Amino acid sequence: MPARPMDPRTRRSRSALETALLELIAERDLSQISVSDITKRAGVNRSTFYEHYTDVHDLAAAACTTVFDELVAASPAAVPPATPDGDPPDNPLPDLFAHVAEHAPLYRALLGDDGSARVINHLLQRMTVTARIRRSPAPEDPADPAAAAGTPHDPAAAFVAGAVLGSVVDWLRHDCPGTPQEMGAALWPLLIGIAAAAGWETERPGSPAAG
């Protein structure tokens, strides 16, 4: 059954709370932001907050959904197959690091030492699920959160997702040294090597592994 559309009042309340959190994150660490800070900035009461979110970390994951979607989309969590001619796939890592650099203050706040372990786990899980679905497309819609619940354990996908996210966190921690292009060029051969070790490079269009 399709999800019921969100009523305008709920949509406005959620938007106000999410916007308030993103504004506050630009001013201070996530650990220093309280529910009262958010509701005061948003102009809503605490009961409205708890109608939609369990706590600040729950709101943080929701407020950053669009940015996280962009990160997951840019992430090479599933190394693309070679072309039909056997040429290596394009390197998506420069785009990934360019995206992180564009939103660096937000990612530092959420993924840094004073960030949210729950948000990190949320993002890592999404990247892992996306990797598995891209490698072995399932009948379920990858955008459907319910599909994640039935996703089987995939150590290779989890390993690559963790490596990518760990590289992003370390880059942010060191104030983003090197350009996105330099980071991509340095790390892409490592991911290609992981793909080869996991047998992913055999999953080419038209090959038995890909069929």
Side-chain angles (χ1 to χ4, degrees):
M1 178 180 296
R4 295 179 60 184
M6 192 181 299
D7 68 77
R9 182 177 178 181
T10 296
R11 188 181 300 111
R12 286 194 298 270
S13 296
R14 292 175 67 98
S15 177
L17 290 165
E18 292 172 7
T19 299
L21 177 66
L22 293 176
E23 291 176 356
L24 289 165
I25 283 176
E27 301 171 4
R28 69 192 81 160
D29 292 336
L30 184 66
S31 61
Q32 298 175 340
I33 299 173
S34 68
V35 171
S36 294
D37 294 330
I38 296 166
T39 55
K40 182 178 180 180
R41 179 69 62 94
V44 302
N45 56 46
R46 289 177 65 90
S47 63
T48 299
F49 178 95
Y50 288 113
E51 286 176 8
H52 305 292
Y53 306 103
T54 58
D55 54 23
V56 173
H57 300 276
D58 187 31
L59 171 59
C64 299
T65 293
T66 300
V67 178
F68 284 0
D69 284 345
E70 293 173 1
L71 179 64
V72 171
S75 171
V79 178
T83 68
D85 296 330
D87 295 329
D90 293 334
N91 181 357
L93 282 171
D95 288 343
L96 168 72
F97 282 96
H99 164 82
V100 173
E102 181 182 356
H103 302 281
L106 175 62
Y107 280 122
R108 284 195 186 97
L110 296 177
L111 307 181
D113 293 340
D114 294 317
S116 168
R118 194 184 312 171
V119 169
I120 294 172
N121 184 63
H122 170 80
L123 181 55
L124 181 60
Q125 182 183 33
R126 290 184 60 186
M127 293 172 70
T128 302
V129 169
T130 299
R132 198 208 72 81
I133 291 176
R134 286 178 180 170
R135 289 178 56 212
S136 304
E140 296 86 3
D141 179 359
D144 181 0
T151 301
H153 177 53
D154 189 334
F159 185 83
V160 171
V164 171
L165 186 57
S167 297
V168 166
V169 171
D170 185 70
W171 193 55
L172 289 167
R173 182 175 292 120
H174 288 88
D175 201 24
C176 302
T179 66
Q181 290 73 23
E182 291 170 342
M183 291 296 296
L187 295 177
W188 186 234
L190 302 179
L191 282 183
I192 291 292
I194 293 172
W200 295 4
E201 65 175 2
T202 64
E203 297 178 13
R204 300 174 180 173
S207 70

